[in-house]
Amino acid sequence: MKLGRISDNLTVIYQDVLERGLMTPDGYQALSRLYYMRKAVSLRESAVKLVLYEDSMKDPRVVPIQNHIAYVPIIDKNYRIFLEDIDGTRYADTGICFVEDFLNENYEGRLERRAEDPLPFMLSRFTHRSEPTFSGDDLQLIQRLLFMPEIRQEYLESLFRPMMDYLKEKGREEVLSSYLWEHRENPVSDVALRNEMLIYGIANDHELDVYQIMKTQYALGVRQEQLLRVLNAVIEETIDQSDDFLISLSAWLFERDCCSEETIAYLNRYYTGTVDLMDKLFRHTEQDRMENTELAQRTLTQMLYTDRHDKYPEKLYLAFLRRHPNKMVAEAFLTYWSRQYLLGNVEPGFSCFENLMRIQRVEENPNDSCRIALLKYLC
């Protein structure tokens, strides 16, 4: 029994010892390892090997066939048997192989309680459920499955969602989250599971690694406060580098009123986007007394390419003038608002006319729109 020997005659002896209650603790452990052994009878004369594929197992089990009989452990409910000839040809006809149980199922509970390793019993019971769901005391099964090298990866991944549902009920979601994080080189297709993995990474101060994952996998299901924590850490490392993804994500959060001093400073330095959001950012930087001249110039330039000019941007223009303004942007801005003024669409602020007068005094050739607008204003 300890050597794993099995045959029809030995089966009778094993069952008789069990019935008589003569089994020792070592005997129970040895017999528990043989409980899922099955007798496969081959009707194919030329078959020399039996190959068993189980849905949950990564590798097939290959056992020899002697006198048309092979003994093979079958744990999974879903399996497929192939018979292999000496030349390597395999046959899958169900009518050429019959499988018989080794021990009566009535002994299962007794053997499991005394087994050195109850995992085969737990796994078999799980695979025989009508639905792949976890309940009761399945926590140990989950912990074992996650680190069982024999389990097929695709099968394991198919169980992640029911695992997480069960673990959340038990308040132990870190069991799966930590596993996913340790294996983060494997993309997680389920968005909810990916979010749990990223939350675990953030909670354990791996913000930079989380950010790299976010660049290739959707992660906006993570709470905004946690995303902001990631961005703050990344910005601290890359403040002098313009990162399009970092800019976009910072702007996405800022648009939803989720920001920090770090993200505002980063956007102030690099962001160019919608006029509405740039204007909101400018107002935020004004409140925080940040140097925003470059932001003002980018915002004014962006305004020149849009149709939204219903209000003269007095504060933006004054911020733009604080340091050496770009001459082309300044001329384009004043020309546009001069035309708007001449058309009667809007009344520019005093800063517009003040600079038109300065240009008239300093510049040799201000354009016609600027000159006529200034004449109209002075009149």
Side-chain angles (χ1 to χ4, degrees):
M1 192 184 302
K2 290 182 179 180
L3 295 175
R5 303 284 174 79
I6 188 168
S7 67
D8 288 348
N9 292 332
L10 286 174
T11 299
V12 175
I13 296 173
Y14 294 161
Q15 292 191 144
D16 184 59
V17 173
L18 276 171
E19 289 293 338
R20 293 173 181 271
L22 302 176
M23 191 71 69
T24 64
D26 288 345
Y28 272 116
Q29 291 184 5
L31 194 56
S32 68
R33 292 192 290 270
L34 298 174
Y35 177 74
Y36 288 104
M37 198 68 72
R38 300 291 183 262
K39 176 183 176 182
V41 180
S42 168
L43 302 183
R44 183 172 177 78
E45 292 290 338
S46 57
V48 295
K49 291 180 183 179
L50 180 147
V51 183
L52 171 71
Y53 286 90
E54 294 177 284
D55 188 35
S56 60
M57 296 297 171
K58 179 169 57 177
D59 299 318
R61 302 180 194 272
V62 182
V63 296
I65 298 175
Q66 297 177 343
N67 298 323
H68 298 281
I69 294 175
Y71 291 97
V72 59
I74 302 178
I75 296 176
D76 201 320
K77 179 181 70 172
N78 303 306
Y79 66 88
R80 186 74 169 172
I81 287 178
F82 294 84
L83 299 181
E84 184 176 306
D85 288 352
I86 195 168
D87 63 357
T89 305
R90 292 183 179 180
Y91 299 85
D93 188 348
T94 56
I96 60 175
C97 185
F98 299 93
V99 178
E100 300 175 0
D101 289 344
F102 164 49
L103 291 173
N104 190 294
E105 63 181 13
N106 294 330
Y107 301 124
E108 181 178 12
R110 193 190 311 178
L111 292 173
E112 181 180 1
R113 288 192 297 272
R114 295 169 172 82
E116 184 178 8
D117 184 5
L119 179 60
F121 295 89
M122 293 188 294
L123 180 58
S124 176
R125 195 160 50 246
F126 176 76
T127 62
H128 282 76
R129 293 175 184 174
S130 57
E131 295 290 336
T133 56
F134 296 89
S135 60
D137 298 324
D138 282 340
L139 179 59
Q140 183 183 2
L141 172 61
I142 291 174
Q143 292 172 322
R144 294 292 301 275
L145 283 174
L146 290 175
F147 299 97
M148 186 176 174
E150 298 89 351
I151 293 293
R152 187 167 59 90
Q153 186 63 30
E154 293 80 5
Y155 176 78
L156 183 62
E157 291 176 0
S158 71
L159 301 179
F160 283 166
R161 193 59 184 268
M163 279 183 182
M164 184 58 77
D165 293 340
Y166 168 82
L167 291 170
K168 281 192 170 183
E169 290 181 3
K170 298 293 183 179
R172 294 295 305 277
E173 54 264 40
E174 78 281 352
V175 172
L176 181 55
S177 299
S178 61
Y179 171 86
L180 295 174
W181 180 255
E182 293 301 322
H183 297 79
R184 57 188 179 275
E185 68 277 2
N186 302 320
V188 180
S189 58
D190 188 294
V191 175
L193 291 173
R194 188 188 310 141
N195 290 339
E196 293 292 339
M197 176 188 72
L198 296 177
I199 290 170
Y200 178 87
I202 296 169
N204 287 274
D205 302 323
H206 297 294
E207 292 90 350
L208 299 183
D209 291 326
V210 169
Y211 178 70
Q212 294 304 317
I213 296 173
M214 290 168 57
K215 293 178 75 171
T216 58
Q217 302 179 52
Y218 179 83
L220 296 184
V222 177
R223 292 202 310 272
Q224 293 180 7
E225 296 77 10
Q226 292 171 317
L227 289 178
L228 186 61
R229 176 176 168 179
V230 173
L231 298 188
N232 289 342
V234 176
I235 290 171
E236 186 176 345
E237 294 291 326
T238 61
I239 185 62
D240 294 324
Q241 302 173 23
S242 176
D243 181 328
D244 289 344
F245 183 75
L246 184 57
I247 295 170
S248 298
L249 193 52
S250 298
W252 184 83
L253 286 177
F254 178 64
E255 189 175 15
R256 288 155 181 79
D257 298 321
C258 182
C259 59
S260 65
E261 183 178 343
E262 290 81 1
T263 57
I264 293 298
Y266 193 74
L267 291 173
N268 179 41
R269 189 169 184 176
Y270 297 113
Y271 179 69
T272 299
T274 65
V275 171
D276 287 340
L277 194 57
M278 293 185 77
D279 185 52
K280 178 180 178 181
L281 177 62
F282 173 78
R283 287 184 272 109
H284 207 294
T285 57
E286 284 285 283
Q287 292 174 2
D288 293 346
R289 299 181 181 277
M290 290 185 179
E291 169 53 49
N292 55 11
T293 304
E294 293 295 326
L295 172 63
Q297 177 173 306
R298 296 197 306 273
T299 306
L300 292 180
T301 303
Q302 198 76 345
M303 282 182 170
L304 295 174
Y305 291 96
T306 66
D307 295 328
R308 290 199 55 190
H309 302 295
D310 51 348
K311 185 178 180 182
Y312 178 74
E314 181 86 26
K315 289 186 177 181
L316 268 171
Y317 185 54
L318 291 175
F320 166 66
L321 295 174
R322 284 176 193 155
R323 294 196 301 178
H324 305 291
N326 183 291
K327 185 176 180 181
M328 293 182 62
V329 175
E331 184 176 353
F333 176 82
L334 291 174
T335 300
Y336 176 82
W337 286 105
S338 294
R339 289 177 59 82
Q340 292 294 95
Y341 175 57
L342 292 174
L343 295 172
N345 295 331
V346 68
E347 181 78 21
F350 176 72
S351 61
C352 177
F353 299 110
E354 182 182 32
N355 278 277
L356 286 177
M357 288 186 282
R358 182 188 61 79
I359 291 174
Q360 181 65 35
R361 290 195 304 268
V362 176
E363 301 291 339
E364 294 182 359
N365 296 306
N367 62 56
D368 292 344
S369 295
C370 292
R371 283 202 301 266
I372 296 172
L374 181 57
L375 285 173
K376 178 181 177 181
Y377 173 74
L378 294 174
C379 290

